[in-house]
Amino acid sequence: GFWDVGPHDPIPVEETWREFVTTVGGQVVDELVPEPRTFQNADFLFPSSGVVAELKEIETEFHQSATFRTGFHSLLARVMKEDPSWRPALLGGSGKYPRWFTRELVRLFRPPISRILKKGNRQIRETKAHFNVSGNCGMIIMVNDGFTSLEPHFVRSLACSLLVDSYSSIDCFLYTTLNRYVEVEGSDIPRLVWFPSYSDRIPESLVSVVNDLGRSWFQFL
């Protein structure tokens, strides 16, 4: 069970991040502005760097939804139409999919990822407006705590493709894990993920801020 759950009991994601942020000079927005709030708020504000960050904890296996299953069955129907003799390995076939299959399979995850980014974009935008924060330092922190059906590099690529033309308040997409460990090629040590991606709008200082945040995060853990 090590690869499934890691070498420790599950750590509460939101509670841990809230505690961590206050140790590095950040602020928790809902403590700064109690209810009732007149805007959809992001989670964290880092006054010294002008970073506004929204935490998104992903616990859902999106491939279990009815919409995904319908799309997946359509892809299998296309595979069998192109090659009527195709069978999965469990049924004695080669189980080898055509080259286009992985690309189209990943596309099935676009709607749920897009919904997460859309909501986070609005929260960051409205929080920046409330605190009169300027600059391109909006960050989504996506913590994968239960979405295991798609490898990290696919999630990153999918999110970045969505962010290229949309959701302009998100300048950094930070993909992380806390209770889920990943295998890295050439290593037998389970790893946690800290995987930032940036828009071309950012100031150079944001990269240093995120790198410093990462070092502090792993020291905190």
Side-chain angles (χ1 to χ4, degrees):
F2 185 89
W3 286 100
D4 293 332
V5 298
H8 51 73
D9 292 333
I11 298 171
V13 173
E14 182 177 357
E15 177 183 327
T16 303
W17 265 94
R18 287 168 67 99
E19 181 183 353
F20 165 67
V21 164
T22 61
T23 69
V24 293
Q27 298 172 308
V28 179
V29 172
D30 64 14
E31 294 177 355
L32 296 174
V33 188
E35 292 283 11
R37 286 183 288 275
T38 59
F39 63 101
Q40 290 195 24
N41 64 288
D43 289 302
F44 308 124
L45 174 65
F46 296 86
S48 62
S49 58
V51 172
V52 173
E54 167 61 16
L55 178 70
K56 297 295 186 187
E57 179 182 358
I58 309 302
E59 300 177 284
T60 303
E61 286 288 18
F62 299 120
H63 74 284
Q64 295 178 357
S65 71
T67 300
F68 183 94
R69 289 197 298 268
T70 298
F72 182 72
H73 291 158
S74 295
L75 293 183
L76 290 182
R78 178 179 167 186
V79 171
M80 298 190 71
K81 182 177 181 180
E82 292 181 0
D83 180 6
S85 66
W86 183 90
R87 295 291 184 275
L90 287 174
L91 297 180
S94 68
K96 185 176 180 180
Y97 294 99
R99 293 181 62 181
W100 56 262
F101 186 85
T102 298
R103 180 186 66 251
E104 295 302 320
L105 178 65
V106 171
R107 285 176 61 87
L108 295 179
F109 291 95
R110 283 177 66 93
I113 298 297
S114 181
R115 287 193 294 271
I116 293 168
L117 296 176
K118 182 178 181 180
K119 183 175 181 180
N121 185 73
R122 179 176 180 181
Q123 290 169 288
I124 292 170
R125 183 180 67 244
E126 293 190 7
T127 302
K128 290 175 69 173
H130 179 84
F131 289 103
N132 196 28
V133 175
S134 60
N136 298 314
C137 290
M139 180 164 63
I140 285 282
I141 304 166
M142 182 179 286
V143 182
N144 185 338
D145 210 43
F147 173 33
T148 62
S149 50
L150 204 60
E151 295 176 18
H153 65 280
F154 284 129
V155 178
R156 175 179 181 260
S157 297
L158 181 55
C160 289
S161 70
L162 289 163
L163 290 168
V164 166
D165 299 313
S166 304
Y167 315 127
S168 59
S169 292
I170 300 173
D171 304 293
C172 174
F173 174 74
L174 176 59
Y175 186 69
T176 72
T177 58
L178 180 57
N179 296 305
R180 294 285 180 174
Y181 285 70
V182 300
E183 181 178 4
V184 177
E185 186 176 357
S187 172
D188 61 356
I189 301 174
R191 308 283 186 176
L192 290 175
V193 173
W194 181 274
F195 208 170
S197 304
Y198 304 94
S199 76
D200 56 10
R201 302 179 298 269
I202 64 163
E204 292 183 9
S205 60
L206 183 59
V207 176
S208 296
V209 168
V210 174
N211 288 343
D212 289 342
L213 194 67
R215 282 187 283 269
S216 297
W217 171 243
F218 285 105
Q219 289 172 4
F220 176 81
L221 291 180

